[in-house]
Amino acid sequence: MSTAPINTAHEVSSLLAQLGVDRGAYEGGTLTVRSPIDGAVIGQLKETTPAEATAAIGRAHDAFLAWREVPAPRRGELVRLFGEELRAHKEPLGRLVTLEAGKIVQEGLGEVQEMIDICDYAVGLSRQLYGLTIATERPGHVMRETWHPLGVVGIISAFNFPVAVWSWNAALAFVCGDACVWKPSEKTPLTALATQALFEKAAAKFGGVPAGLSALLIGERPIGEALVDDVRVPLVSATGSTRMGREVGPRLAKRFARALLELGGNNGMIVAPSADLDLAVRAILFAAVGTAGQRCTSLRRLFVHDSVYDALVGRLKRAYGSVPIGSPLEAGTLVGPLIDGAAFDMMQKSLGAAREAGGQVQGGERVLAERFPEAFYVRPALVEMPAQAEVVCHETFAPILYVLRYQDLAEAIRLHNAVPQGLSSSIFTTDLREAETFLSAAGSDCGIVNVNIGPSGAEIGGAFGGEKETGGGRESGSDSWRAYMRRATNTVNYSRALPLAQGIKFEVDA
Ligand code: NAD
């Protein structure tokens, strides 16, 4: 593997220039952004003030009033043009994701591909926003439902999918006739600047996009709160920790706004006696150590049947010992850095708690500290646990995989569901009865339930989200678009009488 010197700051400026972002947007400000690759400062952004946020939301609201009257397939054309910009800039934007979020180049490119996929999906959707015609009990009447644009959609995103999460929301919201105001993570605002620049290019090609249809708020939590509290924002889609959701959810409820919450996961996998272990090992590695364990869908809990435990865990231990860790820019690296020192500290704290609860820890130590003294690389940790202790029930946003042994499937499913989170889950089995049990009402209680693939790496065609402390939101595919529209039920009387529903008689002489 090459270990050529890296100048992250220089590379970031050159990528931002290719992506159409002016230097002024990321120099001289108060928000410092560091690359997790080497800890170097790669941006100093000017933060949005509360007054600027209020003004941006006002402009977005005005833009919405005009945009909602543009026919939906025409709105789709804007998203199609934006998808074209993403195709043309996939390499630089993907690489910028790597430099700012630390995921390996393959995953950075994959993140941009996911943006392209959701744009394609939204373009088709722009011709399929449909309502029902419903049978009515009254003669000479029709009843149907219509779907209308909702308003300004607030989007709050996390560092680990710095651009894809915005696109899952925004591509749908734009075809649904909404405006979007985006508060990206304070750790990854540069990729947001680049995405906004590409959007503006597409808007210029489209011609006539109302000014302010897509806006960006740069800053930390307070500016997110300003978005959450603004009455002109009827829906906030917020992705991040459960802690954030606990704050945002009640604030939105207080003003009767809609909340689409995509919060933490603590995803499990069951490996049954009949599992194809070759597939299982590959799936476990991608899901548990990929993105350095920093996906909401990362595999964190592995339940292995007693009969295959030694064979599977032996193979995992070997793989964990040799998985290539290094700069995510270098070919061959599979595990890049943690986002920052706080993430490293949290990981060490959880490993300490696991040891205290009787866990046998392999890995977890800091590596490459000499080459990258300001960055945090770790060897992924495999932790054999005697029981599902408290620490296992928390999401630690780092590559820790807790492994537990089970004897029968009912016990494994009970343990699997006995955590507060409910995002993603999977079972490896070639036994139809076991697979269908896991998928059934009495099986996994998560929003995503897979068979013979890992819990991470969802496609955009399905609805994405989870239950319990994961927040209950659904975004991306299936009928998730409905969250970005308001539904009106219409009853039209085309008769010459006025029959009332439920047969009520209410006659007046007039
Ligand atoms: P975080 O909660 O620290 O921050 C997420 C975003 O919320 C940031 O933009 C932050 O500024 C903002 N924020 C925080 N508190 C806020 C408040 N009170 N009001 C308004 N905005 C606020 O999360 P993170 O560390 O960036 O990301 C990791 C977490 O995100 C993990 O828990 C992970 O599981 C979760 N995540 C979930 C999904 C999902 O789809 N379920 C996807 C990605 C990440």
Side-chain angles (χ1 to χ4, degrees):
M1 199 186 296
S2 121
T3 51
I6 303 167
N7 186 338
T8 46
H10 180 265
E11 216 191 309
V12 164
S13 321
S14 132
L15 291 169
L16 286 170
Q18 286 175 53
L19 291 159
V21 178
D22 293 334
R23 262 180 189 281
Y26 62 94
E27 282 185 356
T30 47
L31 182 68
T32 301
V33 184
R34 293 176 184 276
S35 172
I37 295 176
D38 58 1
V41 174
I42 53 172
Q44 295 275 2
L45 283 77
K46 186 179 167 301
E47 293 181 63
T48 309
T49 64
E52 287 165 344
T54 302
I57 295 168
R59 276 194 301 277
H61 185 256
D62 291 346
F64 157 71
L65 295 179
W67 189 240
R68 67 182 175 177
E69 296 201 44
V70 174
R74 178 85 188 122
R75 300 194 294 248
E77 172 62 7
L78 172 62
V79 175
R80 192 189 69 75
L81 289 169
F82 176 56
E84 291 294 297
E85 293 301 330
L86 290 171
R87 279 191 169 82
H89 296 88
K90 181 174 169 181
E91 291 282 332
L93 185 56
R95 204 166 166 85
L96 189 61
V97 168
T98 292
L99 281 150
E100 194 179 38
K103 51 179 78 176
I104 61 172
V105 170
Q106 275 301 308
E107 292 189 56
L109 293 172
E111 173 146 2
V112 182
Q113 185 58 46
E114 203 165 348
M115 301 174 82
I116 295 168
D117 293 345
I118 194 74
C119 286
D120 288 353
Y121 176 90
V123 174
L125 182 70
S126 71
R127 291 183 182 270
Q128 297 176 61
L129 301 170
Y130 56 83
L132 299 174
T133 303
I134 301 157
T136 154
E137 66 191 53
R138 286 172 277 187
H141 285 54
V142 287
M143 182 160 52
R144 59 182 169 244
E145 60 182 29
T146 43
W147 291 84
H148 297 297
L150 183 66
V152 178
V153 176
I155 302 169
I156 295 175
S157 57
F159 80 82
N160 67 321
F161 276 91
V163 282
V165 162
W166 171 81
S167 70
W168 289 1
N169 289 279
L172 299 197
F174 289 135
V175 301
C176 288
D178 301 328
C180 294
V181 178
W182 179 18
K183 208 298 275 174
S185 165
E186 54 274 35
K187 294 174 187 170
T188 54
L190 294 171
T191 39
L193 289 178
T195 301
Q196 176 72 5
L198 294 181
F199 179 82
E200 277 162 15
K201 267 192 187 180
K205 285 189 183 157
F206 182 90
V209 172
L213 187 71
S214 174
L216 204 51
L217 309 180
I218 299 294
E220 304 202 15
R221 198 179 298 186
I223 212 69
E225 288 169 354
L227 183 60
V228 167
D229 289 341
D230 197 304
V231 292
R232 295 164 300 177
V233 182
L235 165 68
V236 173
S237 170
T239 299
S241 58
T242 295
R243 180 206 56 74
M244 177 275 284
R246 277 193 215 290
E247 291 165 11
V248 166
R251 288 177 97 117
L252 291 170
K254 201 168 172 192
R255 65 177 181 88
F256 301 102
R258 291 188 200 172
L260 198 167
L261 298 178
E262 299 281 355
L263 311 175
N266 191 0
N267 315 293
M269 180 195 288
I270 294 174
V271 181
S274 67
D276 178 331
L277 294 190
D278 291 336
L279 293 191
V281 167
R282 283 169 51 203
I284 291 165
L285 281 171
F286 176 68
V289 312
T291 330
Q294 297 169 113
R295 283 190 186 220
C296 52
T297 50
S298 287
L299 178 62
R300 310 200 182 280
R301 299 177 299 132
L302 184 64
F303 303 94
V304 187
H305 191 267
D306 193 40
S307 61
V308 289
Y309 187 96
D310 292 342
L312 180 73
V313 176
R315 287 176 69 172
L316 287 177
K317 282 182 174 167
R318 282 193 293 283
Y320 263 66
S322 63
V323 65
I325 307 164
S327 160
L329 292 166
E330 287 162 7
T333 295
L334 292 183
V335 179
L338 294 176
I339 188 70
D340 54 21
F344 175 76
D345 293 343
M346 288 303 295
M347 179 176 180
Q348 299 311 310
K349 199 172 155 208
S350 293
L351 290 176
R355 280 190 189 95
E356 271 177 31
Q360 299 287 324
V361 179
Q362 174 187 314
E365 72 278 11
R366 189 169 174 192
V367 296
L368 300 173
E370 271 183 28
R371 185 176 174 210
F372 298 112
E374 306 291 324
F376 294 87
Y377 291 77
V378 288
R379 179 156 296 284
L382 193 66
V383 185
E384 290 179 86
M385 293 297 294
Q388 187 158 266
E390 211 208 329
V391 65
V392 182
C393 300
H394 298 157
E395 179 197 52
T396 303
F397 214 54
I400 301 177
L401 179 61
Y402 300 107
V403 189
L404 292 103
R405 196 185 284 265
Y406 80 89
Q407 306 292 339
D408 74 78
L409 186 63
E411 175 204 2
I413 293 176
R414 187 187 59 72
L415 280 172
H416 175 275
N417 291 348
V419 292
Q421 311 81 2
L423 180 52
S424 190
S425 58
S426 81
I427 187 168
F428 269 75
T429 179
T430 53
D431 179 330
L432 177 75
R433 289 180 177 142
E434 289 191 329
E436 289 291 345
T437 300
F438 192 65
L439 297 170
S440 77
S444 163
D445 62 0
C446 291
I448 299 170
V449 190
N450 296 334
V451 176
N452 292 333
I453 64 164
S456 69
E459 295 178 29
I460 57 93
F464 182 90
E467 303 299 333
K468 303 192 289 186
E469 287 189 1
T470 303
R474 292 294 185 280
E475 58 192 17
S476 198
S478 184
D479 63 352
S480 306
W481 61 270
R482 290 168 194 251
Y484 305 87
M485 302 199 86
R486 69 180 168 84
R487 179 196 325 234
T489 301
N490 316 131
T491 307
V492 178
N493 176 6
Y494 61 92
S495 76
R496 293 177 190 284
L498 194 69
L500 298 179
Q502 297 89 42
I504 291 172
K505 296 283 175 239
F506 198 90
E507 304 295 343
V508 282
D509 288 331

